[in-house]
Protein backbone atom coordinates (compact mmCIF):
# COMPACT_ATOMS: atom_id res chain seq x y z
CA UNK A 1 0.00 0.00 0.00
CA UNK A 2 1.44 3.44 -0.88
CA UNK A 3 1.55 6.16 1.74
CA UNK A 4 -1.62 8.26 1.83
CA UNK A 5 -1.24 11.46 -0.17
CA UNK A 6 -2.95 13.25 2.69
CA UNK A 7 -2.49 12.26 6.34
CA UNK A 8 -5.09 13.50 8.80
CA UNK A 9 -4.40 11.13 11.70
CA UNK A 10 -1.38 9.38 13.22
CA UNK A 11 -1.82 6.64 15.83
CA UNK A 12 1.14 5.41 17.86
CA UNK A 13 1.71 2.31 19.90
CA UNK A 14 3.79 3.28 22.96
CA UNK A 15 5.96 0.37 24.12
CA UNK A 16 8.90 -0.16 21.78
CA UNK A 17 7.49 2.44 19.42
CA UNK A 18 7.84 5.76 21.24
CA UNK A 19 10.09 4.60 24.07
CA UNK A 20 12.26 1.50 24.60
CA UNK A 21 10.17 -0.10 27.34
CA UNK A 22 9.78 -3.60 25.88
CA UNK A 23 13.23 -4.75 26.98
CA UNK A 24 12.62 -3.45 30.52
CA UNK A 25 9.46 -5.54 30.86
CA UNK A 26 11.17 -8.64 29.53
CA UNK A 27 13.98 -8.16 32.04
CA UNK A 28 11.40 -8.36 34.83
CA UNK A 29 10.12 -11.67 33.42
CA UNK A 30 13.68 -12.98 33.17
CA UNK A 31 14.13 -12.19 36.86
CA UNK A 32 10.76 -13.39 38.18
CA UNK A 33 10.34 -16.67 36.31
CA UNK A 34 13.55 -18.27 37.65
CA UNK A 35 12.98 -16.86 41.15
CA UNK A 36 9.31 -17.82 41.48
CA UNK A 37 8.89 -20.77 39.11
CA UNK A 38 12.33 -22.31 38.75
CA UNK A 39 12.86 -21.94 35.01
CA UNK A 40 14.37 -19.42 32.63
CA UNK A 41 12.29 -18.70 29.51
CA UNK A 42 13.99 -18.22 26.19
CA UNK A 43 14.25 -14.74 24.72
CA UNK A 44 12.20 -15.94 21.74
CA UNK A 45 9.39 -17.11 24.02
CA UNK A 46 9.21 -13.79 25.81
CA UNK A 47 9.19 -11.87 22.55
CA UNK A 48 5.92 -13.61 21.63
CA UNK A 49 4.24 -11.73 24.49
CA UNK A 50 5.07 -8.28 23.09
CA UNK A 51 2.11 -6.36 21.74
CA UNK A 52 -0.41 -8.72 23.38
CA UNK A 53 -2.38 -8.73 26.62
CA UNK A 54 -0.68 -12.01 27.52
CA UNK A 55 -3.82 -14.16 27.66
CA UNK A 56 -2.72 -16.42 24.83
CA UNK A 57 1.04 -15.91 25.03
CA UNK A 58 2.11 -16.37 28.67
CA UNK A 59 0.23 -19.64 29.48
CA UNK A 60 2.08 -21.63 26.74
CA UNK A 61 5.44 -20.61 28.23
CA UNK A 62 4.41 -22.26 31.50
CA UNK A 63 2.64 -25.18 29.82
CA UNK A 64 5.90 -26.21 28.14
CA UNK A 65 7.29 -26.72 31.67
CA UNK A 66 4.21 -28.62 32.86
CA UNK A 67 2.82 -25.66 34.80
CA UNK A 68 -0.81 -24.54 34.51
CA UNK A 69 -0.86 -20.76 34.77
CA UNK A 70 -3.27 -18.09 33.56
CA UNK A 71 -1.94 -14.66 32.74
CA UNK A 72 -3.89 -13.18 35.68
CA UNK A 73 -2.32 -15.67 38.07
CA UNK A 74 1.10 -14.84 36.68
CA UNK A 75 0.58 -11.09 36.99
CA UNK A 76 -0.58 -11.51 40.59
CA UNK A 77 2.75 -13.16 41.42
CA UNK A 78 4.95 -11.12 39.10
CA UNK A 79 3.49 -7.72 39.87
CA UNK A 80 2.93 -5.00 37.33
CA UNK A 81 5.24 -2.89 35.23
CA UNK A 82 5.04 0.25 37.34
CA UNK A 83 8.81 0.44 37.72
CA UNK A 84 9.17 0.53 33.92
CA UNK A 85 6.88 3.53 33.49
CA UNK A 86 7.44 5.46 36.71
CA UNK A 87 11.02 4.92 37.88
CA UNK A 88 13.26 3.24 35.26
CA UNK A 89 15.43 5.51 33.08
CA UNK A 90 13.23 6.33 30.12
CA UNK A 91 13.46 8.66 27.13
CA UNK A 92 11.60 8.93 23.82
CA UNK A 93 13.45 7.51 20.86
CA UNK A 94 15.59 10.08 19.02
CA UNK A 95 13.51 12.09 16.59
CA UNK A 96 10.16 11.39 18.26
CA UNK A 97 9.66 14.92 19.58
CA UNK A 98 10.58 16.48 16.24
CA UNK A 99 8.13 14.21 14.40
CA UNK A 100 5.32 14.95 16.85
CA UNK A 101 5.96 18.69 16.63
CA UNK A 102 5.87 18.52 12.84
CA UNK A 103 2.61 16.60 12.79
CA UNK A 104 1.04 18.93 15.34
CA UNK A 105 2.01 22.00 13.32
CA UNK A 106 0.31 20.48 10.26
CA UNK A 107 -2.90 19.86 12.20
CA UNK A 108 -2.61 16.06 12.15
CA UNK A 109 -4.68 14.50 14.94
CA UNK A 110 -2.68 12.07 17.04
CA UNK A 111 -3.48 9.27 19.46
CA UNK A 112 -1.92 6.49 21.51
CA UNK A 113 -3.17 2.90 21.04
CA UNK A 114 -1.57 0.50 23.54
CA UNK A 115 -2.27 -2.81 25.24
CA UNK A 116 -0.69 -1.41 28.43
CA UNK A 117 -3.04 -0.14 31.14
CA UNK A 118 -4.03 3.52 31.20
CA UNK A 119 -2.29 4.58 34.46
CA UNK A 120 1.09 3.35 33.17
CA UNK A 121 0.71 4.91 29.73
CA UNK A 122 -0.57 8.23 31.03
CA UNK A 123 2.13 8.30 33.71
CA UNK A 124 4.87 7.65 31.17
CA UNK A 125 3.53 10.24 28.73
CA UNK A 126 3.47 12.88 31.47
CA UNK A 127 6.92 11.89 32.67
CA UNK A 128 8.33 12.17 29.14
CA UNK A 129 6.41 15.42 28.44
CA UNK A 130 4.62 13.81 25.49
CA UNK A 131 1.01 13.86 26.70
CA UNK A 132 0.36 17.31 25.20
CA UNK A 133 0.74 15.94 21.67
CA UNK A 134 -2.06 13.38 21.84
CA UNK A 135 -5.77 14.00 21.42
CA UNK A 136 -6.94 10.51 22.39
CA UNK A 137 -5.62 7.43 24.18
CA UNK A 138 -6.83 3.82 23.90
CA UNK A 139 -5.38 1.49 26.53
CA UNK A 140 -5.47 -2.01 27.97
CA UNK A 141 -8.80 -3.79 27.92
CA UNK A 142 -10.84 -0.80 26.75
CA UNK A 143 -11.46 -2.06 23.17
CA UNK A 144 -13.83 -5.03 22.64
CA UNK A 145 -10.84 -7.10 21.44
CA UNK A 146 -7.10 -6.54 21.70
CA UNK A 147 -4.40 -6.52 19.04
CA UNK A 148 -4.06 -8.24 16.54
CA UNK A 149 -7.79 -7.52 16.15
CA UNK A 150 -8.44 -4.12 14.55
CA UNK A 151 -10.64 -2.93 17.42
CA UNK A 152 -8.02 -0.83 19.27
CA UNK A 153 -7.12 1.15 16.16
CA UNK A 154 -10.73 1.42 15.02
CA UNK A 155 -11.55 2.86 18.45
CA UNK A 156 -8.70 5.34 18.15
CA UNK A 157 -9.89 6.45 14.73
CA UNK A 158 -13.46 6.79 15.98
CA UNK A 159 -12.35 8.97 18.89
CA UNK A 160 -10.49 11.25 16.49
CA UNK A 161 -13.07 11.19 13.71
CA UNK A 162 -10.43 9.78 11.37
CA UNK A 163 -10.70 8.13 7.97
CA UNK A 164 -8.60 4.91 7.86
CA UNK A 165 -7.45 5.79 4.34
CA UNK A 166 -5.85 8.95 5.74
CA UNK A 167 -4.45 7.38 8.90
CA UNK A 168 -0.89 6.26 9.61
CA UNK A 169 -0.16 3.76 12.39
CA UNK A 170 3.27 3.40 14.04
CA UNK A 171 3.98 -0.03 15.55
CA UNK A 172 6.82 -2.34 16.55
CA UNK A 173 5.16 -5.75 16.98
CA UNK A 174 3.57 -8.30 14.62
CA UNK A 175 0.26 -8.12 16.49
CA UNK A 176 0.26 -4.33 16.32
CA UNK A 177 1.08 -4.32 12.61
CA UNK A 178 -1.74 -6.80 11.99
CA UNK A 179 -4.17 -4.66 13.99
CA UNK A 180 -3.29 -1.49 12.11
CA UNK A 181 -3.54 -3.21 8.73
CA UNK A 182 -6.88 -4.82 9.62
CA UNK A 183 -8.19 -1.39 10.60
CA UNK A 184 -7.39 -0.11 7.11
CA UNK A 185 -4.50 2.19 8.02
CA UNK A 186 -1.06 2.60 6.47
CA UNK A 187 1.35 0.95 8.92
CA UNK A 188 4.93 2.03 9.57
CA UNK A 189 6.95 -0.43 11.66
CA UNK A 190 9.63 1.06 13.91
CA UNK A 191 12.69 -1.18 14.31
CA UNK A 192 15.03 1.02 16.33
CA UNK A 193 14.52 -0.55 19.76
CA UNK A 194 16.54 -3.22 21.56
CA UNK A 195 13.88 -5.85 20.84
CA UNK A 196 13.42 -6.34 17.11
CA UNK A 197 10.40 -8.31 15.93
CA UNK A 198 9.07 -9.58 12.62
CA UNK A 199 7.18 -6.66 11.08
CA UNK A 200 7.47 -7.71 7.44
CA UNK A 201 3.73 -7.25 6.89
CA UNK A 202 3.96 -3.52 7.56
CA UNK A 203 3.69 -1.14 4.62
CA UNK A 204 7.02 0.41 5.56
CA UNK A 205 9.83 -0.27 8.06
CA UNK A 206 12.07 2.40 9.59
CA UNK A 207 14.99 2.28 12.02
CA UNK A 208 14.94 5.92 13.10
CA UNK A 209 12.50 8.79 13.36
CA UNK A 210 15.25 11.27 12.65
CA UNK A 211 14.70 12.87 9.29
CA UNK A 212 11.34 11.12 8.80
CA UNK A 213 8.87 13.20 6.81
CA UNK A 214 5.22 12.33 6.25
Amino acid sequence: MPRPERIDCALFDFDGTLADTEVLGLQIDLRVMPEKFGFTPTWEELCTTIGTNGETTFPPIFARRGIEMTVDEYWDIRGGNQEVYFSAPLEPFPGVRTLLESLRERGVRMGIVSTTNRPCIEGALERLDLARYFDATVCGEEPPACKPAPDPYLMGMELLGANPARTVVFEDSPSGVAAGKAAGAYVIAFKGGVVELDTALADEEIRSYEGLTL
Side-chain angles (χ1 to χ4, degrees), residues 27-101:
Q27 286 170 351
I28 296 175
D29 295 313
L30 284 171
R31 182 181 73 237
V32 169
M33 288 184 181
E35 288 180 355
K36 302 294 185 179
F37 303 100
F39 72 89
T40 300
T42 67
W43 186 254
E44 290 74 20
E45 284 180 309
L46 290 181
C47 284
T48 66
T49 68
I50 293 175
T52 75
N53 63 8
E55 290 183 0
T56 61
T57 52
F58 275 107
I61 295 175
F62 288 92
R64 292 185 195 105
R65 280 83 182 177
I67 303 171
E68 288 189 17
M69 181 73 58
T70 67
V71 68
D72 289 335
E73 290 169 338
Y74 175 57
W75 282 103
D76 284 344
I77 296 169
R78 175 195 189 275
N81 279 326
Q82 283 78 6
E83 66 185 84
V84 172
Y85 301 95
F86 295 101
S87 60
L90 201 60
E91 289 291 337
F93 286 111
V96 163
R97 294 187 194 279
T98 300
L99 175 62
L100 297 179
E101 288 283 359

Side-chain angles (χ1 to χ4, degrees), residues 51 60 66 80-81 86 96 121 123 142 158-159 170 174-175 178 188 190 194:
N81 279 326
F86 295 101
V96 163
I121 290 296
E142 295 166 358
E158 182 178 2
L159 289 172
F170 288 86
S175 62
I188 297 176
F190 178 72
V194 171

Side-chain angles (χ1 to χ4, degrees), residues 106-149:
R106 290 168 46 197
V108 175
R109 288 160 288 174
M110 291 184 283
I112 295 288
V113 178
S114 174
T115 56
T116 298
N117 67 60
R118 181 170 291 275
C120 286
I121 290 296
E122 291 184 343
L125 290 174
E126 289 292 343
R127 183 181 170 202
L128 298 178
D129 191 29
L130 296 180
R132 56 198 172 95
Y133 294 107
F134 299 104
D135 307 297
T137 307
V138 177
C139 295
E141 303 301 319
E142 295 166 358
C146 65
K147 304 172 186 178

Side-chain angles (χ1 to χ4, degrees), residues 2 13 19 38 58 63 108 144 157-158 168 171 187 195 207 212:
D13 174 52
F58 275 107
V108 175
M157 292 179 207
E158 182 178 2
V168 172
E171 268 287 354
V187 179
V195 181
R207 293 195 172 276
L212 179 64

